[in-house]
């Protein structure tokens, strides 16, 4: 019995040492992965990297991690218009089946899913700056975007009649959708502007607009989009996503 007790104590001690070593190793690996991702993507700040699953060391020995979560704040994505960029307030991605190269200099995930949030103030930059004459003596421009409820975007349109602004902006509800690498906003129905009947195509010059997002980390792509309280929430996905290298 005494010998068995000693064996059990040794096993517990060794198990504890292994757990501590495993957690230290995963903490170090998360920091290294975050630094490499920051360098490879040219990020302004270090992203959050969390390696899931236990034990970590046996996963590393096999050359593949089951589950890695990445969080990037204030990511600036290219828009396809030269050096113009759009800021993504929060990008979260869950990577599955992350395999490493032989020297651990690069890593690729078999699949990735996640979300990205673009604030209404950021998206508004695409819609503003266009004052359009929508009718005889009537001009209009978008001055605000917000959550319209039920997955819709609410556009606030400032209208001027013969140079005089209407007391309140006109509200337009719009549907938001994804088409390839582009977020599209399209008005559902158009109200009257200043009591004047206006050609629909003139009004849509300001209410309808597109925002391209040409490059996301590792090659993940836009999937779906909907309006939310804190901005436009985009679902992203990808396969063979490069984490580093």
């Amino acid at each position: 019995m005494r010998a068995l007790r000693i064996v059990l104590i040794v096993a517990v001690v060794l198990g504890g040492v292994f757990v501590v070593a495993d957690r230290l190793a995963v903490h170090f690996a998360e920091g290294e992965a975050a630094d490499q991702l920051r360098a490879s993507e040219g990020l302004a700040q270090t992203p959050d990297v969390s390696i899931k699953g236990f034990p970590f060391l046996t996963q590393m020995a096999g050359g593949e991690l089951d589950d890695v979560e990445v969080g990037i704040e204030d990511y600036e994505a290219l828009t396809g218009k030269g050096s113009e960029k759009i800021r993504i307030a929060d990008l979260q991605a869950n990577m599955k089946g992350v395999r490493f190269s032989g020297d651990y200099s690069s890593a690729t995930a078999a699949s990735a899913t996640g979300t990205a949030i673009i604030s209404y103030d950021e998206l508004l930059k695409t819609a503003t700056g266009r004052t359009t004459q929508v009718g005889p003596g009537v001009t209009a421009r978008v001055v605000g975007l917000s959550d319209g409820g039920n997955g819709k975007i609410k556009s606030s349109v400032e209208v001027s009649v013969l140079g005089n602004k209407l007391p309140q902006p006109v509200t337009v509800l719009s549907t938001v959708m994804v088409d390839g690498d582009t977020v599209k906003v399209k008005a559902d129905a158009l109200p009257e502007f200043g009591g004047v009947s206006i050609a629909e195509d003139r009004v849509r010059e300001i209410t309808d607009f597109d925002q391209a997002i040409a490059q996301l980390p590792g090659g993940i792509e836009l999937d779906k989009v909907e309006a939310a309280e804190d901005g436009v929430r985009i679902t992203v996905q990808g396969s063979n996503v490069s984490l580093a290298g």
Side-chain angles (χ1 to χ4, degrees), residues 183-222:
V183 174
K184 293 178 173 287
V185 178
K186 184 175 182 180
D188 295 343
L190 301 174
E192 286 192 346
F193 287 74
V196 179
S197 179
I198 302 168
E200 181 174 320
D201 59 343
R202 297 300 300 276
V203 180
R204 289 193 179 277
E205 288 180 13
I206 59 167
T207 60
D208 298 3
F209 59 91
D210 300 343
Q211 175 60 66
I213 303 175
Q215 186 180 40
L216 290 173
I220 56 177
E221 300 175 341
L222 308 184

Side-chain angles (χ1 to χ4, degrees), residues 139-212:
T139 59
R141 67 188 184 101
V142 176
V143 295
L145 297 175
S146 59
D147 180 19
N150 297 318
K152 303 290 185 179
I153 288 180
K154 181 172 70 175
S155 300
S156 296
V157 182
E158 182 183 86
V159 180
S160 297
V161 180
L162 299 177
N164 299 310
K165 295 179 184 177
L166 296 185
Q168 298 293 330
V170 174
T171 295
V172 178
L173 290 179
S174 301
T175 296
V176 59
M177 66 198 80
V178 165
D179 183 7
D181 65 357
T182 302
V183 174
K184 293 178 173 287
V185 178
K186 184 175 182 180
D188 295 343
L190 301 174
E192 286 192 346
F193 287 74
V196 179
S197 179
I198 302 168
E200 181 174 320
D201 59 343
R202 297 300 300 276
V203 180
R204 289 193 179 277
E205 288 180 13
I206 59 167
T207 60
D208 298 3
F209 59 91
D210 300 343
Q211 175 60 66

Side-chain angles (χ1 to χ4, degrees), residues 93-98 107-114 216-223 236-243:
N94 181 243
M95 313 288 186
K96 300 290 188 181
V98 180
T108 302
S111 64
T113 57
L216 290 173
I220 56 177
E221 300 175 341
L222 308 184
D223 182 27
V236 297
Q237 64 177 4
S239 57
N240 296 322
V241 174
S242 176
L243 282 173

Side-chain angles (χ1 to χ4, degrees), residues 2-92:
R2 185 170 180 274
L4 178 59
R5 190 159 47 243
I6 293 173
V7 170
L8 290 175
I9 291 172
V10 170
V12 170
V13 171
L14 291 178
V17 170
F18 176 78
V19 170
V20 171
D22 191 81
R23 294 303 88 191
L24 288 174
V26 76
H27 180 72
F28 175 78
E30 288 170 344
E32 289 294 304
D35 288 342
Q36 287 198 36
L37 183 58
R38 178 178 182 176
S40 64
E41 294 292 338
L43 303 177
Q45 53 188 310
T46 304
D48 292 327
V49 175
S50 179
I51 300 173
K52 305 298 182 180
F54 178 84
F56 164 72
L57 291 173
T58 56
Q59 292 184 68
M60 281 294 291
E64 180 175 329
L65 300 179
D66 298 332
D67 191 353
V68 178
E69 293 181 356
V70 176
I72 303 174
E73 293 185 1
D74 297 328
Y75 178 79
E76 292 190 334
L78 293 174
T79 64
K81 298 179 181 179
S83 60
E84 185 178 310
K85 296 181 179 181
I86 184 168
R87 184 174 62 86
I88 297 175
D90 186 31
L91 175 61
Q92 300 288 328

